Amino acid sequence: MKLRFLGGTGTVTGSRYLLSDDHHRLLVDCGMYQGVKTLRRRNWASFPVDPASIDAVVLTHAHIDHSGYLPALVKNGFRGKVYCTPATHELCRVLLPDAGYLQEEDAKYAFRKKFSRHEKPEPLFTVKDAWEALKHFESVGYHQKFEPVKGMEVHFTPAGHILGSSCVHVHHKGAARTVVFSGDVGRQTDLIMRPPEPIEHADVLVCESTYGDRLHGETDPEQDLADIITKTAGRGGITLLPAFAVGRAQMLLYVIHKLMSEGRVPRMPVFLNSPMAIKATEIFCKYHQEHKLNPRQCELIDDKTQFVRTVEESIQLDSVRYPCVIVSASGMASGGRVLHHLKTLLPNPRNSIVFAGFQAPGTRGDALVNGAAQVKVHGEYWPVKAQIHNLDSMSAHGDYQELLAWLEQGSLKPERVYITHGEMLASDEMRKRITETFGWPAEAPELFEEVEI
Ligand SMILES: [Zn+2]
């Protein structure tokens, strides 16, 4: 059996791994590249193997950097099935059409502004392509064994990262070998997600390394957030939280309402301005048995949050000048309605912008947490006068200590570990730590590298 790294090497986006034997090809994750332009450009290169030659796809979770290329894969000839957990399936029904919509908008914008090399710029895929891709989906619950291609038996175990997220275990019956893909791995103690389930066996492990060179720190993120919101409101300002529509948006809303009900933050309006996050919150509440919040706590999010659905409501919210909290997507401020709020809120020192997750290099979020004096939004530069906070202790990824603790919990003894899904330095640090801690041979593969397993 061969494993080829078609993405997710030297970067946290574009996860795509191809398993193949003499008869079949199985793709694990089919992510889009995000962040700096050289990476985003890779979305437009032709897929490194003919999509029609891939027999099936298995997804670790719904985030776009793991699922977002699927509509393009189908558009370019993939005819097989896409397997994932039921919650991942439901979340993809929200995320993929939205990604198609953004692609269409980008193409229209490039056409209007004439900055495309093409006469009529085409989107990478459309909303219609996304729905077409969704017809290929099939849901399988955690721990249930299935054979997406003959001879390769697969099952999912909970990864604790976002709703529906999983580690993918692939057992090649003929070769009697098991490869496990960690996907994105959650925290040992997360506010809303249960910890990732330990992995009991893998001959080969493909492990993420988003925080391979970092720790989340000892401070209490709830208290940090309480302090920021209270101080900001005290000076008459607004706290804006750019958040991933799936995962962190629900966590932040829960924490904010909890802080308010405990009297640790003064009561003020809380807005969720992201149609996608609103839908994701509904799905999150529906699957309450898969996370830590009970139906009553989910209701609390639902009852106390003001959902901003229409464009008109969003524009109205932008003119609000009283203390409030706004949660809006996207989490790295690379697109979405949060951009409008940034334009209004950044130039005023009374306001606070709070990031609560990993900021990929090249994104506005990364520029802001690194102290940029101005950022470009919609073609214009905006001065950064608001206070910028980076609470990455609220991230949905375990840091390297948590990852090592998780790996230690199982009875793992892999022959080899491949470190992916990290910036180059983070992956390399993770590689060293795994080898030093467990004595397992580990390496960070290069893009398109193929290994025999
Ligand atoms: Zn993720």
Side-chain angles (χ1 to χ4, degrees), residues 90-91 93-95 97-99 101-102 243-246 249-250 253 271-283 305-315 317 326-330 335-338 340-341:
E90 284 208 45
L91 291 171
R93 288 173 63 84
V94 177
L95 287 169
D98 181 78
Y101 172 75
L102 291 179
F244 299 98
V246 176
Q250 291 76 40
L253 289 173
F271 298 97
L272 176 60
N273 187 11
S274 158
M276 199 170 36
I278 294 171
K279 284 188 208 152
T281 305
E282 286 164 9
I283 298 170
T305 308
Q306 301 191 33
F307 294 122
V308 181
R309 294 173 201 272
T310 65
V311 174
E312 292 72 32
E313 285 169 340
S314 178
I315 293 166
L317 178 61
I326 301 173
V327 178
S328 187
S330 71
R337 289 184 179 178
V338 77
H340 296 282
H341 295 306

Side-chain angles (χ1 to χ4, degrees), residues 440-453:
W440 304 338
E443 58 188 276
E446 288 193 32
L447 184 62
F448 301 138
E449 193 175 326
E450 186 170 61
V451 292
E452 188 75 46
I453 54 175

Side-chain angles (χ1 to χ4, degrees), residues 195-217:
E197 195 171 291
I199 297 178
E200 297 304 337
H201 173 72
D203 295 303
V204 171
L205 174 69
V206 179
C207 186
E208 74 125 321
S209 57
T210 311
Y211 285 92
D213 58 345
R214 271 185 272 174
L215 294 173
H216 288 317

Side-chain angles (χ1 to χ4, degrees), residues 61 63 161 184:
H61 65 294
H63 276 153
H161 167 62
D184 289 1

Side-chain angles (χ1 to χ4, degrees), residues 61 63 65-66 161-162 184 397 421:
H61 65 294
H63 276 153
D65 56 325
H66 294 258
H161 167 62
I162 59 164
D184 289 1
H397 290 267
H421 199 286

Side-chain angles (χ1 to χ4, degrees), residues 97-115:
D98 181 78
Y101 172 75
L102 291 179
Q103 290 291 330
E104 288 182 42
E105 289 299 299
D106 282 354
K108 277 188 218 158
Y109 187 71
F111 180 64
R112 271 203 315 274
K113 298 279 176 185
K114 306 248 177 288
F115 62 55

